[in-house]
Every structure is written in C-alpha cells, then in structure tokens.
Amino acid sequence: MGRGRRPGGNALTWPAVLAVIAATVQEAGAALATSLFAPLGVAGTVCSRFVVAAVVLGLVARPRLRQVPRPALMSIVALGSSLAIMNFCFYESISRIPLGIAVTIEICGPLVLSVVLSSSASGWWWAVMAFCGVALIGFGRGPFETSDVVGLMFAAAAAVSWAAYILSAATAGTRLASRDALFLASCLGALLIGPAAMVTIDRDAAMQPNVIGLIVVVGLMCSVIPYSLELIALRTLPASTFAILASLSPAIAVVAGWFILGQRLGTVDIVAVLCVIVASVGAVRSASAT
C-alpha cells in the first residue's frame, strides 16, 4: 500500500474482523491465565506464554531468520520490549483488580493514540469522556486498598505499553513477515522476563500435567493466536483504526471475568466501562471523518 492511500471499506473488513477475534480470544485467555499465578507467579506466567509462542511458531512457521533485513531488527526490539512490558504490567494488574476494570484502564492507551494520530480536534472530547469513565471506577469501588492502587498503576503502565505495541507492530508488520516478527518478539520477550520468572516459578507445581496443559492453552490463546491475527490485520489497517477496534476489549473482558472468574462488577463500574467504550466509538468516528 503506497503512502497517502487508504484501503477501501471492503479491503478493511476482514482485517477488522481479525482484530475483533484476536481481542475475544485474548481476553478469554487472560481470564484462564489467572489460574497460573499460584504455580508460576506473574513473571512465570508471562514468560511461559512467550516460550509457548516461540516454540509453536518455530515449528509451524519456520521463521526465515537469515533473511531478516537489518532495518527490521530495531522494529523487533521495540515489538518484543513493548510486548514484555505490556503483558507483565497487565498480569500484575489482574492479579490485584478485576479483569474488566484492568482492561478498561488499559484501553485508554490505544484510545489516546488514535486521538493523537487523528487530525480531528473533536477526538480529544472523546478522550476526556474516557478518562471520566476511568475516574468513575474510583467512586464505584469505594476506598482503595494498597493492592487496588498498585493494580491500577500497573494497568495504566500497560495502557502506555499497549500504545507502544500498536506502533511497533505496525512497523514490524511492514518490514517482516507477521509470524517471523512474532517469533522473534516472543523470543526476546522470554529473555527479558526470564530472570524474574526463575524466581517466581514453583518448579514442582509447574510440572503437574494440568498446569502444563493450561500453560499451552494460555500461550496459544494469549500470544500465538491473537498476536498473529493482529500483525496480519495491522499490515492493512491504519494504526488509529486498529486502536479503536480494541474498544470492544473492556466489554469482552467484563464478560470473561464474569463467566470464567465469577467477577461481578457494580453498577457504577459498568457505567465506567460503557463510558470508555462509547468514547472509543466516538473517537473512531471522529478519525474516520477526517
């Protein structure tokens, strides 16, 4: 696709569908991943995801590492680093606060990114609405405990990292085959998180068959499947459009947290989630109008 040209609506349909499927699989996988915190710890859970992704992609995709262009190396470093930080911060947050709340805060990263990339001044009003929705979380949950505050801070850090991931993935997807980029990023992510994982993993518990099976399932649902779909989608979708499609994530996360984890949010928290989703939809409409 040449610079300055935008693909038509039909050309964007399937990449958009892929992005939504990726979000659905990932949020369900995140809910399942909380069961790994006890035997692996947060760092061990994140590292195991990257290891599963690297092994599966190495066997299936057979990356052509000898053909990696030099300009793509910096993109891989940015992609792997943003993935590692994003996932570590996100998992630290959901170990302390409900999944739906964590994703609602995290989604503000892509939302603000879409507003910044758009030339529409009205987009900033939608960003303000999103932050108002996040502020409602505080009123809905009452006095915060220390763990809640730490969880919210990790979710905010994940939001910034998610925006960085979108930008780095868009660049990596144009310089390297999608699966090759994900393989290299997964290897780098495992190396970055590995030292911390060695401290948190309970080796005896981690070797149980049910834990090993769950590690594989979570690795596929949270890394291989969604990131492969996202990298493919980002080769066609503008970064700002992809960022707004992620607006469905809070709703998906609320449902996943409810059915899989039994996390029921209060009325004010539901209103907060809806505010962020509406703000995301409004922002994408503003961006599309420019």
Side-chain angles (χ1 to χ4, degrees), residues 27 37 93 99 139 141 176 210 222 229 275 285:
E27 299 309 335
F37 291 167
S93 70
L99 177 63
F139 292 101
R141 295 178 60 81
L176 198 64
N210 61 318
C222 293
L229 295 178
C275 283
R285 294 187 64 179

Side-chain angles (χ1 to χ4, degrees), residues 137-148:
I137 294 174
F139 292 101
R141 295 178 60 81
F144 284 121
E145 298 180 357
T146 301
S147 62
D148 293 329

